Amino acid sequence: MGKILTSEVQGWVTTASEQGLSAASVRNYHTMLGSVFERALRDRVVTFNPCAHSELPKVVKKRARTLTPEEYSAILASLPAQHRLMIETDINTGQRWGELIALKPRHLDLIKRTLSVEETVVEVSIKNSPTGARMLTMPYPKDNEPRTMGLPADLVAQLADWIADRRLGPGDLLFATRDGTPISRTPSAPASGGPPWPRPGSTSTSACTTSATPTPPCCWPAGPT
């Protein structure tokens, strides 16, 4: 590690960019490399961090396009009925996937029309799971603190009907599989006791989601997303 120089790290950054690796990926890999050297520096394995002064490519953000009301309605209408409310809840709250599938009736205040994000579900490989389960519920979401947000009146009414129709208790999952287990975000790997999620083009109405989280290189250890 001590033989790796700043110029060599910069050379890797330049070469990776020239060979077509996206600016965002270059920055992500550089951040990981930099954190390794930073830890080595704290432990006095090396005397300097060669990543400290790298010139990184700029990430140019694409302009987002807002859906028209007609497009929004068309998307909702095309969703399976049993998952439509889950999607509408996520659209209105902007929750992460793990936070969304960890929601329970006790997290809702139907009178004040608020929702509290207090838990998150993480999906791990069974061999790396501390409990042997693939879906683990953590007491706090990703930012390590619970937060409360307001909900529109029409969504609150739908959620109230959803809870009443299914006779959900305060500790039941609001959105779950037929067996009451958390919904997997991985199409080929259901949480437990349910059929695999459908591939694109399938006519099945099971939940199937996509994630904006990039797939890590094959050499990275499996872990919570």
Side-chain angles (χ1 to χ4, degrees), residues 5-24:
L5 304 176
T6 301
S7 59
E8 291 173 319
V9 174
Q10 185 63 60
W12 168 80
V13 169
T14 302
T15 300
S17 299
E18 291 176 348
Q19 292 181 350
L21 190 62
S22 69

Side-chain angles (χ1 to χ4, degrees), residues 37-160:
F37 273 104
E38 191 61 34
R39 180 58 62 87
L41 181 61
R42 287 201 296 258
D43 291 340
R44 299 185 179 182
V45 176
V46 296
T47 58
F48 69 99
N49 187 341
C51 300
H53 302 290
S54 301
E55 295 182 6
L56 301 175
K58 294 182 179 180
V59 177
V60 180
K61 294 184 178 181
K62 295 181 179 179
R63 183 178 179 180
R65 186 179 73 83
T66 303
L67 295 176
T68 65
E70 292 75 16
E71 290 172 329
Y72 178 77
S73 298
I75 290 175
L76 286 183
S78 67
L79 294 173
Q82 68 267 37
H83 303 308
R84 195 170 299 156
L85 183 59
M86 179 179 68
I87 301 302
E88 286 193 79
T89 301
D90 201 28
I91 290 172
N92 279 277
T93 61
Q95 290 176 283
R96 302 177 180 95
W97 175 252
E99 297 169 350
L100 178 67
I101 62 173
L103 283 179
K104 299 172 182 176
R106 65 180 178 82
H107 297 144
L108 296 170
D109 188 324
L110 300 179
I111 303 299
K112 295 181 179 179
R113 299 205 303 251
T114 60
L115 178 151
S116 296
V117 182
E118 302 174 6
E119 296 178 309
T120 186
V121 172
V122 295
E123 190 169 352
V124 300
S125 63
I126 293 179
K127 71 174 184 178
N128 293 326
S129 172
T131 64
R134 216 166 54 77
M135 309 291 277
L136 305 177
T137 300
M138 310 297 288
Y140 292 106
K142 191 173 182 179
D143 52 9
N144 294 324
E145 61 180 17
R147 63 188 189 277
T148 301
M149 60 191 73
L151 299 175
D154 60 333
L155 180 60
V156 171
Q158 292 182 69
L159 289 169

Side-chain angles (χ1 to χ4, degrees), residues 182-222:
I183 301 173
S184 173
R185 67 186 292 168
T186 307
S188 60
S192 66
W197 308 128
R199 295 296 182 185
S202 170
T203 57
S204 172
T205 56
S206 296
C208 183
T209 65
T210 58
S211 169
T213 305
T215 302
C218 60
C219 57
W220 293 6

Side-chain angles (χ1 to χ4, degrees), residues 21-30 57-60:
L21 190 62
S22 69
S25 293
V26 170
R27 284 179 170 270
N28 288 339
Y29 291 133
H30 183 273
K58 294 182 179 180
V59 177
V60 180

